[in-house]
Amino acid sequence: MKILHIINSLDSAGAERLCVDLAVTMRRMGHEADILTLRDGDTALRREAEAGGVSVKSCRVGREYDPRCILRLRPLIAGYDVLHVHLFPAQYWTAAAHRLAGSRALLVTTEHNNFNARARYWLTTQTDRLVYRRYAAAACISEPTLQFMQERTRGRLPLRLIRNGINTARFASLPAVARSEVLPSVPAEAFLLLQVARFREQKDQDAVIRALAELPADVHAAFAGDGEREAACREQAAKLGVAGRCHFLGVRTDVPALLTLCDAAVMSSHWEGFGLAAAEAMAAGKVVLASNVPGLREVVGSEDLLFSASNERELAKKVLLLRGNFAKRRQLEAYCQERAAQFGIERTAENYIKFYQETIKGH
């Protein structure tokens, strides 16, 4: 089967991570899986995809919102059995290119979140529904995402629940590294929290920063990622007097190494479709403290690890328990690693191949 994954870019984020892992795994399964991005760029995920035998093509536009993508997509989508689209606006441009080209390829998409800004407005909701009519089916990465899409599409688009997966091998038997070499600004004796996420409203790094103000001085937090809210978070850390305990790392390509150096991972999102970063941290054998929201709740699966969204005091209490009770921390680490095993990318890729085949047959 010839499969083309289409996505805005291969910047470092959850949907992009899944796209690369799926394409590489499908290649290993004997399928011809390629990736097409709207924006070009020499990123770590692109290099990883190519190292795994995946051909990465691009529309070569400066911005993914450029409607010229439609014309540039037309010749690039030819010759494939399946066009699998991830994220907006790639969903819009590919639907238009598919129609203009008169393509007979199966057109499917994955919804990666249980909320988006377009859902706030009547006009964009109606536009979404028109675009979805071009798709044969959509996969949803979690139960909350499935419920969201059921409301959005009102039964006019076949939906399938296919849970996200991670490459657990990336986090197995990680080599020991010295904190002073990878994170020289973090004291060796510090109890370190790690959050891997873009600085967006959704991710709420603010709650972690506020929690630091409630915690002892030896508790530090490292943030791997960039985004539009980074400056605001830096200002908040300075205002609360915890700037010296907040470490803004920017985009990192060594997340597995960072995970070996932290004492716990934190996902403080206001909403989340699934939470790949949480599953990856669990696969690395780290305790994951997560906000009690749909998506993350299903991944983490234990009340011991959940705190109310935006509630820095609840988060601080969870951190203090881990910091002060080594036996409890080890117990939760073992639980997290065992739970992560159910999210293997191989199972996810197999489910997608079945999804394609059954949709082709029904369509």
Side-chain angles (χ1 to χ4, degrees):
M1 189 177 292
K2 294 186 67 175
I3 304 153
L4 182 63
H5 291 274
I6 305 172
I7 195 165
N8 300 334
S9 72
L10 287 182
D11 294 341
S12 181
E16 292 80 356
R17 172 82 263 170
L18 177 67
C19 181
V20 169
D21 285 346
L22 276 179
V24 171
T25 305
M26 288 174 176
R27 280 268 172 181
R28 289 202 302 263
M29 294 167 64
H31 301 280
E32 186 177 334
D34 300 328
I35 295 176
L36 171 58
T37 64
L38 304 187
R39 281 193 289 113
D40 202 4
D42 181 23
T43 67
L45 279 178
R46 175 174 184 151
R47 293 192 295 272
E48 184 178 329
E50 291 174 336
V54 175
S55 173
V56 180
K57 301 180 283 188
S58 174
C59 289
R60 299 182 182 276
V61 296
R63 297 177 66 252
E64 59 262 40
Y65 294 95
D66 189 335
R68 289 180 299 173
C69 289
I70 298 171
L71 295 179
R72 297 190 180 185
L73 278 165
R74 286 180 63 184
L76 296 173
I77 63 177
Y80 289 93
D81 302 310
V82 177
L83 304 178
H84 184 163
V85 191
H86 307 259
L87 302 179
F88 167 87
Q91 292 165 328
Y92 277 32
W93 303 148
T94 307
H98 184 266
R99 178 164 186 166
L100 288 175
S103 173
R104 298 182 64 84
L106 180 73
L107 184 62
V108 297
T109 188
T110 291
E111 183 57 47
H112 289 269
N113 222 323
N114 55 19
F115 181 76
N116 60 56
R118 303 187 310 284
R120 293 172 175 159
Y121 309 105
W122 180 87
L123 181 60
T124 47
T125 294
Q126 301 309 311
T127 305
D128 270 8
R129 288 173 180 160
L130 287 173
V131 171
Y132 285 140
R133 290 181 185 177
R134 292 296 308 168
Y135 286 84
C140 302
I141 64 172
S142 65
E143 287 89 348
T145 305
L146 178 63
Q147 293 170 5
F148 171 70
M149 284 294 285
Q150 286 171 337
E151 295 174 2
R152 294 287 286 164
T153 62
R154 294 183 175 177
R156 296 178 181 176
L157 178 67
L159 302 174
R160 175 79 62 86
L161 173 63
I162 303 179
R163 292 183 177 83
N164 263 2
I166 59 171
N167 182 1
T168 54
R170 292 179 67 228
F171 304 93
S173 303
L174 293 170
V177 293
R179 182 181 283 183
S180 59
E181 295 178 5
V182 181
L183 297 172
S185 63
V186 181
E189 68 279 5
F191 188 93
L192 181 62
L193 306 174
L194 175 66
Q195 183 164 14
V196 180
R198 295 291 307 277
F199 280 87
R200 297 171 175 166
E201 177 188 355
Q202 173 188 358
K203 303 300 182 178
D204 195 21
Q205 285 90 347
D206 311 64
V208 181
I209 295 169
R210 293 196 306 270
L212 282 184
E214 305 277 336
L215 288 162
D218 68 328
V219 180
H220 288 233
F223 301 95
D226 61 5
E228 63 271 14
R229 295 208 67 259
E230 181 177 347
C233 287
R234 286 179 178 271
E235 291 175 8
Q236 183 185 45
K239 182 178 179 180
L240 293 176
V242 295
R245 294 157 56 198
C246 288
H247 307 272
F248 296 89
L249 308 180
V251 176
R252 300 289 292 242
T253 60
D254 58 346
V255 170
L258 295 177
L259 286 168
T260 67
L261 299 173
C262 76
D263 296 290
V266 181
M267 287 288 287
S268 51
S269 306
H270 288 301
W271 69 89
E272 200 70 57
F274 179 83
L276 273 177
E280 289 179 342
M282 294 168 75
K286 296 298 177 178
V287 175
V288 176
L289 299 177
S291 51
N292 191 1
V293 296
L296 281 177
R297 183 189 307 138
E298 287 75 15
V299 171
V300 172
S302 170
E303 290 291 334
D304 287 341
L305 304 174
L306 297 171
F307 60 93
S308 301
S310 296
N311 192 323
E312 66 273 13
R313 292 186 177 177
E314 278 190 30
L315 172 56
K317 288 180 180 178
K318 300 281 185 181
V319 173
L320 284 175
L321 175 63
L322 295 179
R323 174 178 170 271
N325 190 331
F326 185 77
K328 181 67 172 178
R329 184 171 137 207
R330 284 288 178 261
Q331 176 190 345
L332 290 173
E333 286 173 347
Y335 162 81
C336 286
Q337 193 159 39
E338 181 180 351
R339 184 167 179 82
Q342 67 183 271
F343 301 123
I345 189 64
E346 294 79 11
R347 181 185 301 176
T348 302
E350 289 171 0
N351 286 335
Y352 269 109
I353 295 298
K354 291 178 183 177
F355 170 59
Y356 303 152
Q357 293 169 337
E358 291 171 5
T359 305
I360 289 173
K361 184 178 179 180
H363 193 60

